[in-house]
Amino acid sequence: MIKYFLPLLMISLNIGALLHPEVDAILNQTHIRFEWEQIPDVDYYALYISEDDDVYDNCIICNKIINSESLIHIETENLEWDKTYYWTIVGHTNDEQLPLTARSFNIGSPIANTTTILYNDNLQEGLTIFGSFFDYYSAVIDENGNEIWNSGDDNLIFYNTDDYGRFFGSEFIGNNAENNYPGIKFSFEDGIQWQEPGDNFIHHDIFQLPNGNYIGLGTSYGEGPIPIGPWTPLFQGLGFEADGETIEFDWMGDKIIEWDAETKEEVWSWDVFNYFDMDDYDQLGGIWFEAYNTNRFDWTHANAIWFDEDDSAIYLSSRHLNRITKISYPSGDVIWNLGHELGSGDIDCGQDIGFSFQHSLAKLDNGNILTFDNGNLSEIFLEQDDKTSRSIEIDITETESGCDASLAWEYVLPEELYGYLSGNTQKLDNGNYLSTTIGGGGTSIEVDGSGTEIWEANYNLQLPDGLVYRAMRIPGLFPIAYSLVFPQFENSLSEMTIENDTLEIMIKNDGDYNQSFNYTLDVNNNNEGYGVTFSIIPVHHPNKIKTHSFNILVPDESSFMLASHDGNFDLNPNQGIMLSFNDNVLENDESIINGYFNLDTPYPNPFNPIINFDLNLVRLENITINIYDIKGNKIETVFSGLLNKGNYTFSWDGKNNATGIYMIQCSSDKITKTQKIFLMK
């Protein structure tokens, strides 16, 4: 039996800490993720929450038992808007209770005014997120209409989400901005995580490709004729020829843009002016009359894109052409056009389906295309007395000549819910459909495959100040909520006993989405033995890395080996990982341990607020010195550059940081060495 030093969780008699929510945090949600550090040798944890600092006697959640295999609890029932809460965790052992210091957080105010009706119990479980244009907010509700989250002071408009819990939309930043609706990726806990850089983004769609880059819709411009129609005298009165041939008027089209995730440079694009015929234009919807007032023709008005990884293809919805297009990626070749026939004859199939001015787009697992048919031209295309909106699923088969298409399913919304713009349709996991329309002040209706109404939500928005854009059903607010537990973490002195040369790490995933993770082991030599860093990286959320670092003390006569773990794994709901040690594999070697530099013991340690450390180099080295907190977050870079052979002294001033354990990490091109330091204020 050998004891190995674990510095990351505590020191002396400090037995852990509350991690999330942060002290005095203001949260725009009532579903809250609680997280804390592991307490040694506990049988279970107990959660206490109160509305004042007497967290035990006045608790509203009292002694809620949490298994010791998890360091996370998500509370979804008992918390309310506009309140301050206090909370703590108590670790229970056989003979004592180990409480952590209580702290507070605040829940902000609600924004939405939603009412709901449940017609029967065949409801798809989860929450509903929606975004509102013109009053610029997004919110999440439960099946009873209770508001669970909102965008707070951020002018955030929800567009879409994916199977991994990545959320996309736009941020309204003011009418005077050149790009007043930039596309964004955001999270419920961290806010905006990425923003597109362009100056021509239009407010319709953005998402992330499998390669990690972002793709969205931008504007493009060209010049074309003014076709002959009822609008001709108006344009001729302004001095235009308006003869259908003379190139004399600004046309606005659309451009699909792919941005590099890191540099935000445009790396791929597809422009309608290069692939669509200008003989195809709206003749029935009044767009040319709008052009007379705006001095530009809104030609295609694309409003949705979808990426099909299996076919490496992009689907594009062009609202003003009543058209859906499949595009080969990255070649850009048009595979087929689906929809209403226009002047060019470029439509391959679906001429009789009759959708018009459609919004949203998805390719389903069965290969069908799902869209929301706004129905602006339904009186003409469908030969009916009144305009109606539909959710439609289209069965499409590719052929040598293009495609064959037929209507596989439709749900016709009630006439009073006709929505002439915006809206979307989502097919849910249980086979139901969620349709969203601006009709009725913004409404979402869930129906089953036969069209039977299951659930209805009204957002009570009023034009022109409120307009629901899209809504989608999601499993919950937390794509990722996992903890790393060391079952052998036994005492309060920051030591760990490893039996049979193995160290077990248990991973519990409490998140709302299935996630794939990468995990790595990084072993570095230092003057105390070996430093080990164990990292878990969510594949689709690479910024949510969780790192645990510890030192292995190796006697002079010993050696060790860590088992290699590569590839992805699913944390659902538990995963155990064994780190294996073997005293007969790696021989100690002074050159391996010492490398080409020495990082001496920092002094004074503990320190307040300045600590010093000496570095000895035996040759010219490219050196980087970083300070990390106990969770592996980089705090500061002390030095980065070339150093000649010799002795150097460095200092770090921790005056702006909280009391706790930090790490000094010194790296060359070949090795890394780490020293633990303790800031005590």
Side-chain angles (χ1 to χ4, degrees):
M1 180 181 298
I2 306 174
K3 288 189 175 180
Y4 302 99
F5 192 56
L6 181 70
L8 77 160
L9 294 175
M10 61 196 67
I11 187 169
S12 187
L13 297 178
N14 184 4
I15 58 170
L18 306 179
L19 299 178
H20 188 276
E22 297 180 355
V23 178
D24 296 329
I26 301 176
L27 306 177
N28 296 318
Q29 59 201 71
T30 59
H31 289 188
I32 306 297
R33 175 178 60 88
F34 296 94
E35 183 176 4
W36 56 94
E37 289 182 343
Q38 185 177 359
I39 301 176
D41 201 29
V42 301
D43 299 314
Y44 64 91
Y45 298 100
L47 172 67
Y48 291 83
I49 302 177
S50 71
E51 295 182 21
D52 58 45
D53 57 6
D54 193 352
V55 71
Y56 300 107
D57 291 340
N58 294 331
C59 53
I60 59 173
I61 296 179
C62 309
N63 196 37
K64 188 165 190 153
I65 305 301
I66 300 162
N67 192 292
S68 62
E69 292 182 354
S70 181
L71 305 176
I72 285 177
H73 169 74
I74 297 175
E75 180 56 41
T76 61
E77 297 178 354
N78 296 287
L79 305 181
E80 301 176 6
W81 295 98
D82 293 315
K83 287 190 176 181
T84 297
Y85 292 97
Y86 296 78
W87 74 287
T88 192
I89 287 288
V90 178
H92 288 258
T93 69
N94 289 330
D95 54 3
E96 63 179 330
Q97 299 181 17
L98 305 171
L100 303 183
T101 303
R103 67 186 195 185
S104 64
F105 66 94
N106 308 280
I107 296 181
S109 300
I111 295 178
N113 179 32
T114 306
T115 54
T116 61
I117 303 172
L118 181 63
Y119 295 106
N120 68 57
D121 293 334
N122 188 29
L123 182 75
Q124 171 65 57
E125 294 183 353
L127 307 174
T128 301
I129 178 172
F130 69 94
S132 174
F133 261 117
F134 305 133
D135 51 6
Y136 312 118
Y137 77 89
S138 295
V140 173
I141 61 170
D142 64 14
E143 65 181 69
N144 299 313
N146 299 313
E147 190 169 340
I148 305 302
W149 169 91
N150 64 57
S151 53
D153 294 332
D154 296 329
N155 295 323
L156 188 156
I157 306 152
F158 167 77
Y159 288 174
N160 58 64
T161 183
D162 61 18
D163 293 338
Y164 310 109
R166 296 178 294 189
F167 297 88
F168 305 90
S170 68
E171 180 190 22
F172 177 70
I173 58 176
N175 286 317
N176 294 324
E178 187 175 11
N179 180 16
N180 61 344
Y181 289 99
I184 59 171
K185 180 173 74 173
F186 68 95
S187 80
F188 295 126
E189 292 191 290
D190 302 323
I192 296 174
Q193 299 176 307
W194 191 90
Q195 179 175 308
E196 57 88 12
D199 61 2
N200 62 353
F201 194 86
I202 60 174
H203 47 81
H204 283 112
D205 226 347
I206 185 172
F207 59 86
Q208 199 161 9
L209 292 169
N211 64 10
N213 290 345
Y214 295 84
I215 193 165
L217 288 168
T219 51
S220 62
Y221 298 91
E223 198 172 47
I226 302 172
I228 296 174
W231 50 82
T232 299
L234 296 174
F235 284 96
Q236 289 177 340
L238 294 176
F240 292 100
E241 295 293 331
D243 56 7
E245 297 179 357
T246 304
I247 307 299
E248 60 180 342
F249 199 74
D250 288 337
W251 285 40
M252 183 175 70
D254 296 286
K255 182 180 179 183
I256 306 172
I257 304 171
E258 178 184 350
W259 298 279
D260 183 274
E262 299 298 327
T263 67
K264 297 189 178 182
E265 294 179 353
E266 184 177 314
V267 295
W268 182 89
S269 65
W270 188 95
D271 197 321
V272 295
F273 283 100
N274 297 328
Y275 293 93
F276 286 173
D277 195 314
M278 296 178 78
D279 286 339
D280 294 342
Y281 57 88
D282 173 68
Q283 304 177 31
L284 304 171
I287 308 303
W288 275 107
F289 288 104
E290 294 180 9
Y292 172 80
N293 294 315
T294 60
N295 294 316
R296 66 183 182 188
F297 176 53
D298 188 2
W299 177 30
T300 51
H301 200 93
N303 56 32
I305 48 178
W306 184 274
F307 183 75
D308 182 5
E309 187 173 3
D310 293 336
D311 286 353
S312 190
I314 296 171
Y315 295 82
L316 173 70
S317 169
S318 299
R319 169 177 166 89
H320 286 174
L321 298 182
N322 312 306
R323 176 182 298 180
I324 295 171
T325 303
K326 183 177 181 180
I327 302 161
S328 177
Y329 173 88
S331 73
D333 297 334
V334 172
I335 299 174
W336 46 252
N337 286 308
L338 164 75
H340 179 63
E341 191 69 80
L342 293 170
S344 70
D346 288 341
I347 296 299
D348 299 289
C349 59
Q351 295 91 337
D352 59 345
I353 296 177
F355 60 84
S356 57
F357 282 50
Q358 74 284 349
H359 266 86
S360 85
L361 184 62
K363 182 186 177 184
L364 305 179
D365 291 340
N366 61 8
N368 291 351
I369 302 297
L370 185 68
T371 189
F372 183 77
D373 174 18
N374 290 85
N376 295 39
L377 302 176
S378 56
E379 292 173 297
I380 301 171
F381 287 1
L382 303 178
E383 299 179 351
Q384 51 190 40
D385 294 334
D386 298 298
K387 294 179 180 180
T388 55
S389 300
R390 304 180 294 168
S391 292
I392 58 174
E393 184 177 331
I394 302 169
D395 184 350
I396 188 163
T397 303
E398 294 186 5
T399 66
E400 292 184 358
S401 59
C403 55
D404 291 327
S406 61
L407 190 63
W409 176 89
E410 70 173 348
Y411 170 69
V412 181
L413 275 68
E415 290 183 8
E416 65 271 18
L417 296 183
Y418 164 70
Y420 63 92
L421 53 79
S422 295
N424 72 300
T425 302
Q426 177 191 14
K427 192 165 186 178
L428 306 175
D429 291 342
N430 67 352
N432 292 350
Y433 298 81
L434 185 69
S435 302
T436 299
T437 172
I438 67 167
T443 307
S444 290
I445 299 180
E446 181 177 343
V447 301
D448 63 17
S450 66
T452 301
E453 294 182 356
I454 308 297
W455 175 85
E456 181 176 335
N458 189 276
Y459 305 115
N460 296 305
L461 304 169
Q462 299 297 321
L463 295 173
D465 298 325
L467 182 154
V468 65
Y469 182 60
R470 291 178 184 168
M472 297 186 75
R473 186 69 44 79
I474 59 175
L477 300 188
F478 304 99
I480 299 173
Y482 68 94
S483 53
L484 275 63
V485 175
F486 294 83
Q488 295 157 291
F489 188 41
E490 294 178 344
N491 58 62
S492 63
L493 298 177
S494 302
E495 291 183 346
M496 182 182 296
T497 300
I498 299 177
E499 299 180 357
N500 301 319
D501 297 327
T502 61
L503 169 61
E504 184 180 11
I505 297 177
M506 293 298 299
I507 302 168
K508 176 71 182 300
N509 181 25
D510 292 307
D512 297 314
Y513 293 74
N514 291 331
Q515 293 282 345
S516 291
F517 296 77
N518 290 324
Y519 62 108
T520 61
L521 297 172
D522 184 25
V523 184
N524 301 300
N525 313 113
N526 61 52
N527 59 2
E528 292 185 351
Y530 294 86
V532 179
T533 300
F534 183 80
S535 301
I536 306 274
I537 307 172
V539 172
H540 298 285
H541 296 80
N543 296 326
K544 291 290 187 179
I545 183 173
K546 182 167 290 190
T547 299
H548 283 250
S549 300
F550 51 95
N551 286 341
I552 300 176
L553 301 179
V554 183
D556 292 341
E557 68 275 7
S558 289
S559 56
F560 77 96
M561 179 188 73
L562 287 168
S564 175
H565 296 274
D566 299 312
N568 300 339
F569 65 100
D570 291 327
L571 300 182
N572 189 30
N574 296 284
Q575 182 80 32
I577 297 176
M578 303 295 294
L579 309 185
S580 300
F581 301 82
N582 188 322
D583 288 343
N584 301 312
V585 175
L586 179 66
E587 295 294 335
N588 270 340
D589 186 302
E590 186 174 350
S591 66
I592 295 175
I593 294 176
N594 293 330
Y596 297 104
F597 68 84
N598 229 17
L599 179 62
D600 291 337
T601 302
Y603 59 95
N605 193 19
F607 69 102
N608 181 24
I610 296 176
I611 193 166
N612 307 299
F613 50 98
D614 297 327
L615 187 65
N616 176 261
L617 280 74
V618 300
R619 70 173 198 181
L620 178 71
E621 292 278 359
N622 188 22
I623 295 292
T624 300
I625 304 173
N626 292 319
I627 307 295
Y628 293 88
D629 66 16
I630 204 66
K631 293 186 284 185
N633 300 310
K634 187 170 74 173
I635 303 300
E636 184 177 340
T637 297
V638 177
F639 178 82
S640 182
L642 285 172
L643 289 177
N644 283 314
K645 175 182 177 180
N647 299 315
Y648 300 85
T649 298
F650 295 90
S651 300
W652 179 58
D653 189 347
K655 66 181 179 182
N656 296 323
N657 296 275
T659 296
I661 299 172
Y662 296 83
M663 307 296 292
I664 300 173
Q665 185 183 86
C666 182
S667 302
S668 70
D669 293 334
K670 295 186 178 294
I671 62 172
T672 298
K673 297 184 178 183
T674 304
Q675 290 280 5
K676 178 189 66 174
I677 56 177
F678 184 45
L679 175 60
M680 183 179 289
K681 294 184 174 180

